[in-house]
Amino acid sequence: MSTSTLELAEILDAIAESIVVLNPDGGIFYANRAVLEYTGLSMPDVLAGDFLSRLFHPRTSSGSRIPGVSDCLTACL
């Protein structure tokens, strides 16, 4: 990881709320410590690709994306 990525990870890990960072195609790039503690999964488990389908009910999750997330991210950015 680059220095800036490590700094971002350190900041996100200090936050007690669960935070998942998505890459531009909607895949998971990073999950903070709160996510790992809440789910009991390791970072490789989270990055494996089936994380969201393991965490959310099938009606909420479609593959590796949650409907509406990209719309929210686009609106927020």
Side-chain angles (χ1 to χ4, degrees), residues 13-62:
D13 283 341
I15 299 171
E17 297 295 323
S18 296
I19 299 172
V20 176
V21 179
L22 304 177
N23 58 33
D25 68 357
I28 297 174
F29 175 74
Y30 182 78
N32 73 343
R33 184 177 303 133
V35 171
L36 303 180
E37 291 173 359
Y38 179 76
T39 62
L41 299 173
S42 67
M43 186 63 70
D45 292 333
V46 171
L47 299 176
D50 64 343
F51 169 69
L52 294 177
S53 64
R54 292 170 66 182
L55 192 62
F56 295 101
H57 188 277
R59 290 185 188 168
T60 307
S61 175
S62 61

Side-chain angles (χ1 to χ4, degrees), residues 20-24 26-27 65-66 68-77:
V20 176
V21 179
L22 304 177
N23 58 33
R65 299 182 60 126
I66 299 174
V69 167
S70 61
D71 296 336
C72 176
L73 291 175
T74 301
C76 295
L77 298 175

